Amino acid sequence: MGEVELSCLAYAKMYLHASQFPRCSVNGLLLSSSPAGAAVCITDCVPLLHSHLSLAPITQLALTQVDAWCSQTQQRIVGYYQANACVSDSSPTPCALKIAEKIFEQCNNAVLLMIDGEKMFPGCRVPPIVMYERKDARWTLKDKHTIMLRQWEETCSIVNQLFSSGDQTLLVDFDSHLDDITKDWTNQKLNAKIMELISPANGNV
């Protein structure tokens, strides 16, 4: 596997998800709107659960719905992310490995990202992410230098702006959607807010 590129949109939503439920383990799916190829470009993510991550029926329901939505929006599931409840633990759990394996069956360059809670603070010089790839029939730690988050300082600034304006409350994960089906797990409102902030910072949308 070559380099993995993580968009500001995907990173911001992962970060907000972990921050919204700081005492819980959270997880989600990584999406790409790019065609299949050597490089993985993660353009978006879908926050899934913040409780009972190991419940297979809910996870299967979420995977099915996200897969159907991806088919409609020309996206594909290319990976999985998780933040553990214990901030000092960024190792993949059996649940993380099982879901990542299921994704790998459909995407042979799938990635598994673990959020490093100890590095989730303003001003962190590197993305608080530990990346794993499927190699030799197992998930192994990938060289941290092969993950790219373009314009890292601008991305951090955007995340800080979202927090200062209280926009993290806009994030809806699949768990919250199951509690109230009127809540939009595709997060169109939050996506629009993030893209609005990206545009002047990066000169594009």
Side-chain angles (χ1 to χ4, degrees):
M1 182 194 295
E3 292 181 334
V4 174
E5 184 174 340
L6 183 62
S7 73
C8 175
L9 177 66
Y11 174 77
K13 288 164 70 176
M14 288 169 53
Y15 192 99
L16 293 177
H17 193 203
S19 300
Q20 193 177 54
F21 303 101
R23 294 178 179 82
C24 304
S25 293
V26 303
N27 67 358
L29 300 173
L30 305 171
L31 311 182
S32 178
S33 55
S34 302
V40 177
C41 183
I42 300 165
T43 48
D44 199 358
C45 74
V46 175
L48 290 186
L49 308 175
H50 62 265
S51 63
H52 310 299
L53 268 59
S54 59
L55 281 181
I58 294 178
T59 300
Q60 186 57 55
L61 172 64
L63 282 166
T64 300
Q65 289 207 21
V66 174
D67 194 46
W69 179 66
C70 283
S71 296
Q72 297 169 6
T73 56
Q74 288 75 54
Q75 299 182 94
R76 57 195 179 95
I77 300 171
V78 296
Y80 172 84
Y81 76 84
Q82 183 169 307
N84 293 331
C86 177
V87 296
S88 62
D89 179 14
S90 57
S91 300
T93 61
C95 171
L97 294 171
K98 186 174 183 179
I99 298 174
E101 191 69 21
K102 191 172 183 65
I103 295 169
F104 176 76
E105 291 173 4
Q106 306 297 323
C107 175
N108 62 11
N109 57 353
V111 295
L112 165 58
L113 302 184
M114 297 298 299
I115 297 176
D116 185 348
E118 291 189 319
K119 294 179 180 175
M120 281 187 62
F121 57 85
C124 183
R125 299 181 65 181
V126 294
I129 291 169
V130 182
M131 181 166 54
Y132 293 80
E133 64 178 328
R134 188 68 156 65
K135 192 174 183 181
D136 300 327
R138 58 193 296 264
W139 290 92
T140 58
L141 199 60
K142 189 170 170 59
D143 185 344
K144 64 182 179 180
H145 298 296
T146 58
I147 186 164
M148 296 189 301
L149 210 162
R150 298 187 187 281
Q151 296 161 311
W152 171 238
E153 290 184 3
E154 288 85 349
T155 295
C156 288
S157 174
I158 287 169
V159 170
N160 290 337
Q161 287 180 66
L162 291 166
F163 270 101
S164 64
S165 55
D167 289 320
Q168 70 272 22
T169 59
L170 296 175
L171 184 132
V172 176
D173 64 9
F174 201 80
D175 243 347
S176 299
H177 168 75
L178 291 177
D179 289 338
D180 179 356
I181 60 171
T182 65
K183 292 184 176 181
D184 176 23
W185 59 263
T186 69
N187 284 288
Q188 296 305 305
K189 188 174 182 180
L190 178 60
N191 287 358
K193 180 68 176 181
I194 295 171
M195 297 309 289
E196 181 185 324
L197 292 172
I198 289 173
S199 184
N202 297 348
N204 55 45
V205 175

